[in-house]
Amino acid sequence: MPRAANEKPRLLSEEHLTKYRIELLVKGTVVIGPQTLFTQDDLARIDQLQTEIPEEEVREGDAGDSHNVFVKRVRVAPPGRPPSNANGAAPGQIIELLERKDRSFVLKKILGASSDFVIRRCQMHRMPPGSFVGIHLDAASDPDFEYSVIVQLAKNFEGGEFVVYPSAYEQQVFRPPFGAVLVTTCKLRHEVKPVHTGERRSLVYFCSKRDGVNRRTIESTSGGL
């Protein structure tokens, strides 16, 4: 029978949680399939809320890396400040959805955290044709970033592959389908290849065990990634 639209995400068995955890430990990146962490209703709600958030074009990251992507800020943590939600009601509602207990429990198990994680930064990415995210390291934005969680919100686009570089001689290429969640350690360099057709859209948030101020000391001239 088809799943009801308002069902909660299916609960993962300990076996599946362990499998994802081991893959994350070994490869540094893991893709969690659609309808596991977010239902269709969850994705639709995120899409609805993000329309209320202003958008900015970002062409330079926090470490001077080159990008071409449109960003909507949900939670920010500029250097010297603790994480805080962006202005307006929508960002707080998105964070509340992300921090729901069942979802947080599953992520905590996959991340291998001994305590609840903190969402230090969260934002929407929109990438029309020609957009890309250049090679960068997430820890350059905040040294306390441990894992990034990327929720795929688009279906019909070409290009936009998520590429991770575990070493100078190795790369891992990911093409998560709509509704899938990619989790990767913030200790690996990565990029998003240029989008060729359609529009790639995703929700990206960064997790940490620490909720204090952003300890990065050099502030870029842009909002960064």
Side-chain angles (χ1 to χ4, degrees):
M1 293 179 63
R3 292 168 55 87
N6 61 354
E7 275 189 53
K8 292 183 178 180
R10 61 176 180 262
L11 295 177
L12 291 174
S13 66
E14 285 294 332
E15 180 181 359
H16 280 91
L17 289 172
T18 300
K19 172 182 172 292
Y20 283 131
R21 175 59 185 158
I22 292 173
E23 187 171 350
L24 182 60
L25 282 171
V26 173
K27 295 184 178 180
T29 306
V30 65
V31 175
I32 303 167
Q35 291 281 36
T36 303
L37 285 179
F38 294 88
T39 65
Q40 295 288 340
D41 278 359
D42 292 330
L43 301 177
R45 179 62 174 157
I46 292 170
D47 232 1
Q48 176 190 20
L49 289 168
Q50 64 86 22
T51 62
E52 303 174 24
I53 303 174
E55 183 177 82
E56 61 185 275
E57 185 176 10
V58 173
R59 289 185 174 269
E60 182 180 340
D62 292 322
D65 31 304
S66 178
H67 307 302
N68 184 357
V69 60
F70 293 91
V71 174
K72 294 187 175 188
R73 309 289 180 181
V74 178
R75 174 170 285 180
V76 297
R81 298 183 184 179
S84 63
N85 293 344
N87 294 331
Q93 292 176 53
I94 291 176
I95 293 296
E96 183 178 345
L97 186 152
L98 300 181
E99 291 180 336
R100 202 171 66 189
K101 287 185 177 180
D102 54 349
R103 183 172 296 114
S104 295
F105 172 81
V106 170
L107 269 179
K108 178 179 173 181
K109 289 285 189 178
I110 294 172
L111 301 183
S114 57
S115 59
D116 290 340
F117 60 80
V118 174
I119 297 176
R120 294 195 59 87
R121 177 186 281 188
C122 178
Q123 55 205 33
M124 300 288 304
H125 287 181
R126 183 174 69 85
M127 302 178 65
S131 298
F132 65 92
V133 175
I135 298 176
H136 66 287
L137 191 67
D138 290 332
S141 295
D142 187 327
D144 290 307
F145 283 171
E146 296 179 50
Y147 293 98
S148 64
V149 181
I150 303 165
V151 186
Q152 184 56 254
L153 297 175
K155 297 179 181 179
N156 301 316
F157 66 92
E158 297 292 335
E161 297 87 355
F162 189 93
V163 183
V164 180
Y165 298 93
S167 70
Y169 310 100
E170 181 184 5
Q171 67 178 29
Q172 301 169 352
V173 181
F174 299 91
R175 300 176 179 84
F178 172 73
V181 177
L182 184 147
V183 181
T184 185
T185 173
C186 293
K187 296 178 180 179
L188 294 179
R189 296 167 68 249
H190 59 278
E191 66 175 322
V192 178
K193 292 291 188 178
V195 174
H196 303 314
T197 61
E199 185 172 86
R200 184 187 192 275
R201 295 186 299 111
S202 57
L203 173 70
V204 183
Y205 57 105
F206 301 89
C207 301
S208 173
K209 298 183 185 71
R210 185 174 178 276
D211 61 359
V213 301
N214 183 346
R215 295 185 286 182
R216 184 167 64 88
T217 56
I218 301 175
E219 188 169 2
S220 70
T221 56
S222 69
L225 285 176

